[in-house]
Amino acid sequence: MPNASSRLEVFGQRRARGLAVVLLLAVGLLMACKPKHAFVWIEEHEIQAGTIDSVPLRPGDTISITVSQLEQLRASEPFVITADGSVVLPIVGPFHVADVTPSEAARQLNTRLKDIVTNPDARVTVVSPRAPLVSVLGEVHTPDRYEMSHGDGVLQALARAGGLTEFARPDGIYVVRKHPKRERIRFRYVDLVGGVGKNADFELRDGDVIVVE
């Protein structure tokens, strides 16, 4: 028959194993709750000015292209970028400009013009950017890509997507942004509805992705 010290030793071992299991479960829960990707709450977010020249051109943008040595492009009408990402220029013909910044488009045009004029000085300027296209994904009733109005915020995009589902986390709303730098910004639904602080001033940009967990 085990003596008292043996029974105490067995009890101590079982207690230690029990505490270890509890600790492992606690660590597992903490890891499960920890966000997989870094983010910043909207209250702490510093809005990047993001000049329009830092954003790649997209179909639907209206741009101005001037080359002082070419009369045909010295005072031409603005060009609208077509669905295939190009504009048709006098002398040059079709010229692809989508997915590059205005300054990069100007450099590429100068390369095309070097055999036509001496020291070309092309300038590409955005006259009117297209309406922002924003993707809304996750726990919303109608996930899709939506054309927004300039100045619209997260709440307007969620409304376009039919609102949150019953499974959505009201504090798990994120905006993933690429330009002018990659960011992941977190929102609370109650603050969006209440227009609290920076929630009311945050404006969506072309290419933003809203993810609702």
Side-chain angles (χ1 to χ4, degrees), residues 5-42:
S5 63
S6 297
R7 289 198 297 271
L8 285 174
E9 183 178 352
V10 170
F11 176 76
Q13 291 174 348
R14 290 177 177 173
R15 184 179 181 185
R17 286 197 294 269
L19 289 173
V21 170
V22 171
L23 182 59
L24 286 172
L25 287 173
V27 171
L29 287 172
L30 286 173
M31 292 299 291
C33 295
K34 184 178 179 181
K36 295 180 181 179
H37 305 287
F39 67 88
V40 60
W41 283 104
I42 181 59

Side-chain angles (χ1 to χ4, degrees), residues 18-141:
L19 289 173
V21 170
V22 171
L23 182 59
L24 286 172
L25 287 173
V27 171
L29 287 172
L30 286 173
M31 292 299 291
C33 295
K34 184 178 179 181
K36 295 180 181 179
H37 305 287
F39 67 88
V40 60
W41 283 104
I42 181 59
E43 295 89 348
E44 303 164 2
H45 177 248
E46 294 296 330
I47 297 177
Q48 301 292 315
T51 63
I52 198 167
D53 289 336
S54 68
V55 179
L57 298 169
R58 304 283 185 91
D61 287 345
T62 301
I63 60 176
S64 169
I65 298 179
T66 59
V67 180
S68 62
Q69 298 99 319
L70 286 177
E71 182 179 353
Q72 297 90 333
L73 286 172
R74 198 176 301 154
S76 63
E77 293 293 324
F79 302 89
V80 178
I81 302 175
T82 60
D84 66 356
S86 65
V87 292
V88 179
L89 304 179
I91 299 178
V92 177
F95 177 57
H96 191 83
V97 294
D99 301 322
V100 298
T101 63
S103 58
E104 177 59 29
R107 283 193 290 270
Q108 293 180 9
L109 181 55
N110 282 336
T111 300
R112 289 275 294 272
L113 292 172
K114 66 180 182 180
D115 294 329
I116 301 174
V117 297
T118 304
N119 298 323
D121 59 349
R123 295 188 60 185
V124 178
T125 307
V126 178
V127 175
S128 176
R130 75 177 187 188
L133 286 177
V134 174
S135 297
V136 187
L137 309 175
E139 293 296 339
V140 292
H141 288 286

